Amino acid sequence: MNIRIAICDDEKAETAYLKSLVDRWAKNNNVVACVSIFESAESFLFSYADDKAFDILLLDIQMKEINGIELAKRIRAGTENGGFSNEALQIIFITGFPDFMAEGYDVSALHYLMKPICEEKLYTVLDKAYKNIKSNERTILLNIGSECARIPVSHIIYAEAFAHYVTITTTLEKYVVKQPIGNIEKMLGDGFVRCHRSYIVGLKYVKRITKTDLVLDDGTTIPLSRRAYNDVNQAFIKFYKGA
């Protein structure tokens, strides 16, 4: 399995050391890890605007301008992602001070690592992050034109049918496939609802439900048919209660 890891820290010596440890962890675990280095939150955000496919973010808290806490809040709030929160990204804070630990709960940080970094502790946290990534990695394969695309299910916001085609909107881009929406519904499975004959929606991206619409995190409204209302409402409640 290939994973992408970002290290965001404005101390060059620290990033070099962290990268050496990450490379060693990957080699020891037979993981193909592509590691990218960012010397500021701004440089990470510039890259993230076009490429959000990172799996793990090792994030220093004390940085100039935008600090690590603020960067994490932007990612979780979807500020840099069209209003859609990136909850799948495994954020690991790195800090020389314990004062910020309480704020980590607000952004669902996986862990805090205190400087100087202990190799064994880093490896333990990376093991946990990798396990989470694998459990979230369910994908579907779709034929798009002459190509076959692998799309992570966690990235799919909704699917919309037009005649013989279905447009699948994800957090990164849109895909158009030629097949019945019923086939897409079977592929997606749990975590998605058929709220209308032409729409399937990922419950994790639903902000609220009205009698006639599903309102998504970015304000997009998806029509909700009258006869589907009760089933969709129950699915929404069950999904967020974890029942």
Side-chain angles (χ1 to χ4, degrees), residues 207-227:
K207 185 175 184 179
R208 67 178 186 273
I209 298 176
T210 72
K211 289 290 185 180
T212 57
D213 299 286
L214 300 184
V215 181
L216 306 187
D217 289 337
D218 69 340
T220 299
T221 58
I222 304 294
L224 172 59
S225 68
R226 183 181 300 176
R227 64 173 155 182

Side-chain angles (χ1 to χ4, degrees), residues 4-6 44-45 47-57 59 69-93 104-110 132-133 136-137 152-157 170-172 204-205 217-218 240:
R4 296 183 61 195
I5 300 175
F44 176 82
L45 289 174
S47 174
Y48 186 74
D50 294 320
D51 181 6
K52 299 175 177 64
F54 290 102
D55 299 296
I56 298 172
L57 173 59
L59 180 57
I69 295 290
E70 177 60 28
L71 173 58
K73 286 181 178 179
R74 291 192 185 191
I75 292 169
R76 292 301 195 226
T79 306
E80 316 299 327
N81 197 20
F84 293 107
S85 171
N86 185 348
E87 296 293 342
L89 181 63
Q90 306 291 304
I91 297 176
I92 301 167
F93 280 125
Y105 293 106
D106 295 335
V107 293
S108 302
L110 178 67
N132 290 344
I133 293 164
N136 292 334
E137 188 58 18
V153 171
S154 63
H155 291 181
I156 296 174
I157 303 168
T170 76
T171 57
L172 302 177
K204 67 181 288 187
Y205 296 105
D217 289 337
D218 69 340
Y240 281 99

Side-chain angles (χ1 to χ4, degrees), residues 52-194:
K52 299 175 177 64
F54 290 102
D55 299 296
I56 298 172
L57 173 59
L58 291 163
L59 180 57
D60 184 28
I61 291 180
Q62 291 82 29
M63 292 188 291
K64 298 175 182 177
E65 303 297 332
I66 302 173
N67 64 33
I69 295 290
E70 177 60 28
L71 173 58
K73 286 181 178 179
R74 291 192 185 191
I75 292 169
R76 292 301 195 226
T79 306
E80 316 299 327
N81 197 20
F84 293 107
S85 171
N86 185 348
E87 296 293 342
L89 181 63
Q90 306 291 304
I91 297 176
I92 301 167
F93 280 125
I94 298 167
T95 179
F97 306 93
D99 305 354
F100 297 96
M101 293 184 69
E103 295 188 63
Y105 293 106
D106 295 335
V107 293
S108 302
L110 178 67
H111 202 84
Y112 273 84
L113 291 172
M114 296 295 296
K115 294 182 180 181
I117 299 299
C118 170
E119 184 174 347
E120 289 75 18
K121 288 183 178 179
L122 173 63
Y123 290 174
T124 298
V125 177
L126 288 175
D127 286 343
K128 183 177 180 181
Y130 185 57
K131 183 179 179 180
N132 290 344
I133 293 164
K134 288 198 295 183
S135 67
N136 292 334
E137 188 58 18
R138 190 165 65 90
T139 61
I140 60 173
L141 292 175
L142 296 173
N143 292 317
I144 300 170
S146 60
E147 300 180 355
C148 184
R150 181 175 68 88
I151 305 174
V153 171
S154 63
H155 291 181
I156 296 174
I157 303 168
Y158 67 93
E160 180 181 4
F162 291 100
H164 300 295
Y165 294 87
V166 176
T167 299
I168 297 174
T169 299
T170 76
T171 57
L172 302 177
E173 58 185 298
K174 292 187 177 183
Y175 302 88
V176 178
V177 298
K178 188 177 182 180
Q179 60 179 293
I181 193 170
N183 289 1
I184 303 297
E185 183 180 11
K186 291 177 183 177
M187 290 182 193
L188 295 177
D190 293 341
F192 292 82
V193 289
R194 183 78 172 269

